[in-house]
Amino acid sequence: VTPARSRKPPAVQRYHMNTLKATASPISNQEKVIILTPLAKFYDEYWTNLLKLNYPRELVELGFIIPKGREGNLALSKLQDVVHKVQTGKKKDQFAKVTILRQDFDSPVPQNEKDRHALSAQKARRAAMSKARNSLLFSVLRPDIAWVLWLDADIIETPPTLIQDLASHDKAVIVPNCFQRYKEGGVSKIRPYDYNSWHDSNDALKMAGTMGKDDIILEGYREMATWRLLMTGEYKEHGSVHDETKLDGVGGTALLVKAEVHRDGAMFPPFPFYHLIETEGFAKMARRLGYQPYGLPNYLVYHYNE
Amino acid sequence: VTPARSRKPPAVQRYHMNTLKATASPISNQEKVIILTPLAKFYDEYWTNLLKLNYPRELVELGFIIPKGREGNLALSKLQDVVHKVQTGKKKDQFAKVTILRQDFDSPVPQNEKDRHALSAQKARRAAMSKARNSLLFSVLRPDIAWVLWLDADIIETPPTLIQDLASHDKAVIVPNCFQRYKEGGVSKIRPYDYNSWHDSNDALKMAGTMGKDDIILEGYREMATWRLLMTGEYKEHGSVHDETKLDGVGGTALLVKAEVHRDGAMFPPFPFYHLIETEGFAKMARRLGYQPYGLPNYLVYHYNE
Ligand SMILES: Nc1nc2c(ncn2[C@@H]2O[C@H](COP(=O)(O)OP(=O)(O)O)[C@@H](O)[C@H]2O)c(=O)[nH]1
Ligand SMILES: Nc1nc2c(ncn2[C@@H]2O[C@H](COP(=O)(O)OP(=O)(O)O)[C@@H](O)[C@H]2O)c(=O)[nH]1
Ligand SMILES: [Mn+2]
Ligand SMILES: [Mn+2]
């Protein structure tokens, strides 16, 4: 008897993928969700918000991937502390499972706002982000999981009903609008943050047609005017949170995906895919697989303000 | 306490992806392998050959995906019988784990040789195959697995050292040459079977350049002369089994992949990817991710002869 044997008895597990449903009523249907977070920096506000999500914990798994290097070490140690606290606390507060992957490569660019948003750094950075997301996804998605919620480590405020709310639209891929809080003259205001959720434009498609085959189109850079209609611009202060809009590109700061979309093969292309990369490339891939992504222009989540 | 809790205590699992190695000496290094088989028909000869593989069983997991429908039912029931027998038999003969997924869709084309090889049926068939492979891969690959061996359900003869032999070349993606035994005038002979392992040709690349964007190039059809150099043609009866050749396309009848290639995002495109689909599209995707596929022209595995 090998040690491996004595720890874990061999098993045969059978799954009927046709009984695995991702519906508009995920809680009453007991649908399992995995929340996936690529995490380069740990924010207390992220964790506090995560703990406020009121989807039944026994149906929620967490998966993290953390880059190598000094900053990653710090993030890992903070994450481990808070995870340990929850998973050894009250039974009813425990998540069904938590998996933490330590990446085998460091972030290719520094984590501060200015450096990581420089246009020149984007291709390498977003290719690395894609690989991190794929590694996490390919390693922790299991046959009984119905939904994947992608949630960045710097999303610090969402409605507690985020998962149910997004799922209630019954879309294969759905993304809320990601904004940021800031102060101006002592007044608290909000402004758009994530520009990766958009409707395609003729200009962007024309641009793609004349580009080198390994070039990528990026959103939110003056140097590269795409004239795409951004979901951030569709936000209406008094609009209904239920308003839906069809999207061509999606951001990944918060993003709910029916697991079957990933299982069919939709991942985050680390290489230019129709001149798109990472979450925007994912949206294109989902569309190639026959799934239409949607956005909720008036349903807001908030990004940390550095 | 919910029933889920009492069965499976919540856990935190940590994995350091940089300590996960896929090396030329996988056994001494205790590297875990998952054998993945899309299975539409069960052949006893496949199972007998699988059981002869002498990679340590405690390091081997099996994963199957079976289509819906009548033929799938039959295959499932036969598979379950043999799996049950092994997994309840001697400890040392048990596989570390066996996962059987039942697909939520049926095969789009009949399973007989003639129908499934008709050119007209290829795109739908190979798109379905791609989705089946992706569903399996995305559902059962875990963070501690170093290698993925793709093995079709109609591969009925391989050397028992298949896994070690392929791994010993230390390539990210490596494929043996897939032949078929047949009789001619009472004499046992062999002939090429899988034409999906090839070196690209200028003709094929030119063809791709003039095709509609959703068209695919297929190998082994007179109607579509690609003039690619096929690995089947490189077989030399007395050549060394260690001979290597760089490939642009690979077949999936038997195919060893370092798990990191999949984790970086390489899957089986169910849509035309550079006018390629399924395993050939996978090879292209691996190349886009910086991994060079290799073939072993003189290392033979055998496909069932219907
Ligand atoms: N695993 C991993 N996570 C990263 C890496 N770089 C950034 N992240 C995380 O990925 C998410 C998105 O990155 P971020 O820099 O916030 O993107 P931005 O908000 O678009 O500028 C955040 O949760 C980061 O903590 C990386 O190299 N590896
Ligand atoms: N899960 C699943 N497996 C399939 C399906 N069609 C074929 N297979 C299996 O996939 C592998 C390749 O298919 P096969 O028809 O043998 O391809 P060929 O040898 O290239 O003609 C074999 O192991 C089949 O049993 C399908 O629709 N779903
Ligand atoms: Mn961010
Ligand atoms: Mn076959």
Side-chain angles (χ1 to χ4, degrees), chain A residues 5 10-15 17 80 94 98 100 102 134-135 138-139 141 143 214 263-265 267 288, chain B residues 5 10-11 13-15 17 80 91 94 98 100 102 134-135 138-139 141 143 214 263-265 288:
Chain A
R5 286 265 168 272
V12 184
Q13 300 196 308
R14 292 208 297 138
Y15 300 93
M17 305 310 278
Q80 287 188 148
Q94 294 174 7
V98 181
I100 303 176
R102 196 64 198 278
N134 291 337
S135 287
F138 278 74
S139 301
L141 187 63
D214 279 352
R263 283 200 192 93
D264 274 1
M267 47 75 176
R288 291 296 280 129
Chain B
R5 287 263 167 276
Q13 299 197 306
R14 293 209 295 140
Y15 299 92
M17 306 308 279
Q80 286 188 147
K91 274 255 174 242
Q94 294 173 7
V98 182
I100 303 176
R102 195 65 198 277
N134 291 337
S135 286
F138 278 74
S139 301
L141 187 61
D214 279 351
R263 284 200 190 93
D264 275 0
R288 293 294 281 128

Side-chain angles (χ1 to χ4, degrees), chain B residues 37-41 43 65-67 103 105-108 111 113 116-117 125 128-129 132-133 151-154 193-194 196 253 278 303 306:
Chain B
T37 299
L39 185 146
K41 240 185 178 174
Y43 293 109
I65 188 159
I66 299 180
Q103 224 168 265
F105 56 93
D106 198 351
S107 285
Q111 284 302 319
E113 240 262 52
R116 72 173 204 261
H117 284 166
R125 194 178 87 84
M129 281 300 311
R133 290 190 194 276
L151 190 66
D152 274 358
D154 44 18
Y193 183 83
D194 187 352
N196 292 337
T253 52
E278 212 214 345
H303 190 277
E306 293 176 58

Side-chain angles (χ1 to χ4, degrees), chain A residues 38-41 65-67 103 107-108 111 116-117 125 129 132-133 152-154 193 303:
Chain A
L39 186 147
K41 242 183 176 175
I65 188 158
I66 299 181
Q103 222 167 269
S107 286
Q111 284 303 318
R116 73 172 204 260
H117 284 166
R125 193 177 89 84
M129 281 300 312
R133 290 189 194 277
D152 275 358
D154 42 19
Y193 184 82
H303 190 275

